[in-house]
Amino acid sequence: DIVMTQSPDSLAVSLGERATINCKSSQSVLYISNNKNYLGWYQQKPGQPPKLLIYWASTRESGVPDRFSGSGSGTDFTLTISSLQAEDVAVYYCQQYYSTPYTFGQGTKLEIK
Amino acid sequence: QVQLQESGPGLVKPSETLSLTCTVSGGSVSSGGYYWSWIRQPPGKGLEWIGYIFYSGSTNYNPSLKSRVTISVDTSKNQFSLKLSSVTAADTAVYYCARGLMTTVLNPLDYWGQGTLVTVSS
């Protein structure tokens, strides 16, 4: 299984400031034949299901604000929120869909400082 | 707009079989362009992928659960289902059904149900 490790486990950022969450996979999730990273980011608010934010490591899902961006390749990835809003308080998960079993990171809890 | 809704018992006794159904509206499980998944989340913990099914009935399960899991699809009712046998307290979780787009590859899960809490207890 591919192990996904996020850092930090929790993060407190002031409103309007940048938030950065890291995700590392135990093996590459870059598929050479199509040059795509099989890595997604989800946001989960309390009592709600996860919501897909980013796929292919850097493609924003339709309707997701452009303050959310994803970057990275191979085994190291980053989710950045450029200017934190109150509604961004949530737990964020990365997930690899390169190979089954699909696996998620342990989650990063983002709070307002 | 696609909507998914989980249903089933909220309480299951140890050693029995957990059975859940996901009803899809606004879309068809018969569509060849999607795959249908189950994911679970123990209270206060992270997400675990259980498995997926295509409309054809072809499945892929998490090896950690494979011996106990069956996912099936009922195109006449526009539903897909999860059965997990020989449950223990460790199977207590919120169970989500979700849809993923299938193009030349499997894309991540873009529509999720609200989830249903299943507690395993006598």
Side-chain angles (χ1 to χ4, degrees):
Chain A
D1 299 6
I2 298 177
V3 177
M4 308 300 291
T5 304
Q6 292 180 225
S7 61
D9 290 334
S10 64
L11 180 62
V13 175
S14 300
L15 289 173
E17 296 299 305
R18 178 185 299 260
T20 301
I21 299 170
N22 300 301
C23 175
K24 188 174 184 66
S25 57
S26 61
Q27 64 187 74
S28 176
V29 298
L30 172 63
Y31 195 42
I32 300 298
S33 65
N34 61 9
N35 199 34
K36 286 182 180 290
N37 287 283
Y38 286 53
L39 189 284
W41 287 97
Y42 293 86
Q43 175 193 64
Q44 187 177 32
K45 297 181 179 180
Q48 295 185 20
K51 173 188 174 183
L52 180 64
L53 297 176
I54 302 282
Y55 58 99
W56 304 130
S58 60
T59 301
R60 249 187 323 272
E61 176 74 335
S62 176
V64 172
D66 61 7
R67 63 180 181 274
F68 291 92
S69 64
S71 63
S73 184
T75 61
D76 292 280
F77 301 91
T78 300
L79 174 69
T80 301
I81 307 172
S82 60
S83 177
L84 189 71
Q85 305 299 303
E87 61 265 32
D88 300 335
V89 169
V91 178
Y92 292 84
Y93 294 94
C94 60
Q95 183 217 2
Q96 65 81 19
Y97 47 101
Y98 179 88
S99 66
T100 58
Y102 298 152
T103 46
F104 295 85
Q106 79 277 17
T108 295
K109 186 175 184 179
L110 178 58
E111 299 173 314
I112 304 295
K113 184 186 292 182
Chain B
Q1 177 88 351
V2 174
Q3 293 186 318
L4 296 89
Q5 180 66 58
E6 305 88 352
S7 60
L11 181 64
V12 181
K13 290 182 168 55
S15 80
E16 295 190 343
T17 296
L18 176 160
S19 295
L20 295 174
T21 296
C22 182
T23 300
V24 179
S25 57
S28 173
V29 296
S30 301
S31 170
Y34 302 100
Y35 67 103
W36 308 91
S37 280
W38 287 96
I39 304 93
R40 69 180 183 178
Q41 184 172 36
K45 296 188 178 180
L47 299 159
E48 180 179 30
W49 175 77
I50 299 172
Y52 65 66
I53 190 167
F54 298 112
Y55 81 99
S56 63
S58 176
T59 55
N60 192 318
Y61 300 139
N62 192 324
S64 69
L65 299 169
K66 188 173 184 177
S67 64
R68 300 193 291 130
V69 169
T70 301
I71 298 176
S72 58
V73 64
D74 186 338
T75 55
S76 67
K77 295 182 179 178
N78 215 30
Q79 297 175 334
F80 62 106
S81 299
L82 169 70
K83 291 187 185 299
L84 182 65
S85 63
S86 304
V87 297
T88 69
D91 295 310
T92 294
V94 174
Y95 285 77
Y96 294 101
C97 61
R99 185 200 82 169
L101 176 67
M102 182 176 69
T103 55
T104 53
V105 297
L106 298 187
N107 290 252
L109 300 165
D110 56 357
Y111 283 93
W112 294 60
Q114 285 299 306
T116 187
L117 175 62
V118 179
T119 301
V120 178
S121 175
S122 55

